[in-house]
Amino acid sequence: MSEHIPAWVGDTLTPVEKTEVHRKGLRHKAVSIFVMDGEQVLIQRRAEEKYHSPGLWANTCCTHPAWDERPEVCAVRRLREELGITGLYPAHADKLEYRADVGGGMVEHEVVDIYLAYAKPQMRIMPDPMEVSDLRWIGLYDLAAEVNRHPERFSKWLILYMSGHLDRIFGSLLRA
C-alpha cells in the first residue's frame, strides 16, 4: 500500500504518494524530532533500506504526517514506530522550510515542524531495523562540529539544522 502525504500541488494542499512527492520535489509537510538528555541529543543512522539518504546520520526521527494528522500527534506516533519510544510529549521548537537534493533523483522540499522531547530516566529505545541501523547520544556542540567536519556522513536536513538554525531550534537549551 502506498503512503500519501500532504503536499502542495500549485497552491492546493493535496494527498500525494510519498515517492512521487520526492521525485517531483513537491513542497510538503514534515515533522522532525530531537530527543534530548540535557545537552546530549539522540541521533540515528538511517537504515540501508531507506528509499533516500540510506546509511546517513539524522536527527532522532523525522517523517511526514498523514493526511489530516496534526504534527504533534505525528511526532508522538513516529517516536513509537521508529524507535519504540513512548511516554514523551514533544514541544514545538520551530518551523522551517528548505529544499535539498537528497540523491537518487529525490528532492526534499519540506515545510517542517521541529520538536524537542526530553528523555526520561531508563527510557526504553527499541529501534525498527527497517528504519534505523544505529543510534548514539552526542553533545549538541559536538554534533554541530562533526556535521561541519564530515557533512558526507549526515542527512541534508541535519546539516541544515546544525549549520544554519542551531540557535533557532535549541535556543532555550543553549541559554539555560
Side-chain angles (χ1 to χ4, degrees):
M1 184 169 97
S2 64
E3 182 182 348
H4 288 72
I5 62 173
W8 283 270
V9 177
D11 292 334
T12 305
L13 193 59
T14 308
V16 181
E17 199 277 319
K18 183 169 68 171
T19 53
E20 180 182 348
V21 166
H22 294 102
R23 277 195 211 103
K24 292 182 175 179
L26 297 178
R27 184 173 176 250
H28 60 280
K29 290 186 177 186
V31 171
S32 275
I33 305 109
F34 289 88
V35 172
M36 308 295 299
D37 186 358
E39 82 140 54
Q40 298 276 309
V41 60
L42 180 63
I43 62 172
Q44 68 155 282
R45 187 165 185 221
R46 293 169 60 86
E48 292 296 333
E49 294 78 17
K50 298 292 278 186
Y51 69 103
H52 76 70
S53 308
L56 296 179
W57 288 95
N59 51 297
T60 309
C61 70
C62 46
T63 192
H64 307 96
W67 185 254
D68 283 341
E69 183 180 33
R70 292 189 333 268
E72 63 275 13
V73 171
C74 176
V76 170
R77 173 180 60 82
R78 213 50 199 156
L79 282 170
R80 183 185 70 248
E81 291 173 353
E82 266 188 52
L83 298 165
I85 295 174
T86 58
L88 298 187
Y89 300 94
H92 194 267
D94 205 353
K95 187 173 205 153
L96 298 171
E97 181 172 343
Y98 75 92
R99 184 178 177 89
D101 182 334
V102 293
M106 302 277 182
V107 173
E108 283 285 17
H109 184 178
E110 294 190 333
V111 177
V112 58
D113 285 292
I114 301 172
Y115 290 86
L116 300 179
Y118 301 95
K120 293 184 174 181
Q122 284 83 50
M123 179 178 72
R124 288 185 52 184
I125 305 172
M126 299 177 350
D128 176 345
M130 295 304 292
E131 298 284 345
V132 178
S133 66
D134 199 4
L135 292 168
R136 66 181 167 129
W137 289 97
I138 184 171
L140 193 54
Y141 290 113
D142 292 335
L143 176 59
E146 190 174 325
V147 165
N148 188 51
R149 280 193 312 273
H150 300 287
E152 72 282 358
R153 298 178 184 170
F154 297 92
S155 69
K156 299 286 187 180
W157 56 93
L158 187 60
I159 294 168
L160 176 82
Y161 299 159
M162 292 293 106
S163 65
H165 302 285
L166 193 66
D167 192 55
R168 278 182 60 172
I169 297 169
F170 301 99
S172 61
L173 286 173
L174 300 174
R175 290 185 286 277

